[in-house]
Amino acid sequence: MAPTGLFISFEGIDGAGKSSHIEGLADAFRAQSRSVVCTREPGGTPLAEKLRELLLHDAMDALTESLLVFAARRDHLCQVIVPALARGDVVLCDRFTDATFAYQGAGRGFDLQALSILERMAQTGIGLEANLMHEPQLTLWFDLAPDVAAQRLAGARVPDRFEAQPAEFFRRVAQGYADRAAAAPQRFARIDAAQERVAVWQQIMDVFVQRGWLAVQGTAL
Ligand code: TYD
């Protein structure tokens, strides 16, 4: 029997350190003979990567930003995520819809109900189960105080439109993530991203071991 697909997203404010752990998790899953797709949002398809360039660098209002984010997400779901899950792959996605609620919703102040409507439109009607709203089974939320994240990012590279936002924006985004996590506690696993890298990795492993998705310390089951 083909394994059941797993859809896992990684979230947190810029500088929380999520991206560096995705490859490690991919290796851990591959070590137990799972096919893994590592992808990201906005992006993950040629069209969505073009939209990412616009989103990160071109000025636009919050509705335009939200529409482009969801347009990119739908293409990503249609072309990559839903087919991968149908094959039984593990999909590790660097950000997904929680980022839209945190950045466009809490950060920019865009209407959360409007985002929920767009979410349902963009994430439904793909693949065999037409009524299913595709969303991650698990979201690893890298929780880090905004001032610590800002220190980590300082001088690292030329900031994009989001990274260039003031501290107050990231405080709202962080609160947006906390609200999302409180609303879906079964889906969210909070990772204390202030800890040392090894300790963060250990927390991640604990989550996967508890769910029975990995054995110990990333060893294959
Ligand atoms: P990020 O994962 O930070 O990419 P990188 O590590 O390469 O900089 O994502 C890019 C930015 O996109 C990030 O600042 C958050 C923003 N973003 C949104 O505003 N809304 C969304 O729905 C998504 C997925 C990302």
Side-chain angles (χ1 to χ4, degrees):
M1 206 176 83
T4 313
L6 277 181
F7 182 13
I8 298 155
S9 64
F10 300 76
E11 297 282 1
I13 58 174
D14 291 271
K18 61 189 164 45
S19 306
S20 57
H21 290 288
I22 296 177
E23 274 307 316
L25 257 180
D27 288 343
F29 274 108
R30 287 184 184 121
Q32 65 174 51
S33 306
R34 295 295 301 256
S35 292
V36 181
V37 174
C38 288
T39 190
R40 68 172 181 181
E41 290 216 343
T45 70
L47 172 61
E49 291 290 333
K50 287 185 196 166
L51 295 175
R52 178 189 178 91
E53 279 307 304
L54 300 175
L55 281 158
L56 295 192
H57 302 296
D58 289 29
M60 62 188 80
D61 85 327
L63 173 58
T64 309
E65 197 173 282
S66 302
L67 292 171
L68 289 188
V69 162
F70 275 113
R73 181 160 302 131
R74 181 156 185 96
D75 193 55
H76 192 204
L77 278 166
C78 291
Q79 306 293 335
V80 175
I81 298 175
V82 173
L85 294 173
R87 290 192 301 267
D89 292 359
V90 178
V91 175
L92 302 180
C93 192
D94 192 344
R95 299 191 185 282
F96 199 68
T97 304
D98 297 302
T100 312
F101 280 87
Y103 281 78
Q104 281 66 51
R108 300 263 195 242
F110 190 69
D111 182 30
L112 297 181
Q113 275 188 316
L115 291 181
S116 293
I117 294 168
L118 293 174
E119 177 188 30
R120 188 147 286 283
M121 287 175 70
Q123 294 170 217
T124 311
I126 309 163
L128 293 176
E129 293 168 89
N131 292 327
L132 180 75
M133 190 175 87
H134 298 283
E135 60 177 357
Q137 280 131 291
L138 170 68
T139 297
L140 290 184
W141 168 38
F142 289 70
D143 188 19
L144 186 66
D147 50 329
V148 178
Q151 279 165 21
R152 286 187 185 177
L153 278 182
R157 58 183 172 188
V158 180
D160 62 38
R161 272 179 71 232
F162 296 101
E163 290 162 349
Q165 291 294 316
E168 184 48 38
F169 177 83
F170 285 103
R171 275 194 280 278
R172 290 197 300 274
V173 173
Q175 186 57 50
Y177 276 123
D179 293 344
R180 291 287 286 177
Q186 302 89 340
R187 175 167 65 84
F188 269 83
R190 179 184 172 274
I191 304 294
D192 177 1
Q195 295 187 6
E196 294 288 320
R197 193 188 151 81
V198 176
V200 170
W201 176 247
Q202 187 57 55
Q203 292 179 64
I204 296 169
M205 280 301 109
D206 290 348
V207 170
F208 283 85
V209 170
Q210 273 164 21
R211 288 180 191 237
W213 291 345
L214 287 173
V216 281
Q217 289 288 352
T219 312
L221 273 172

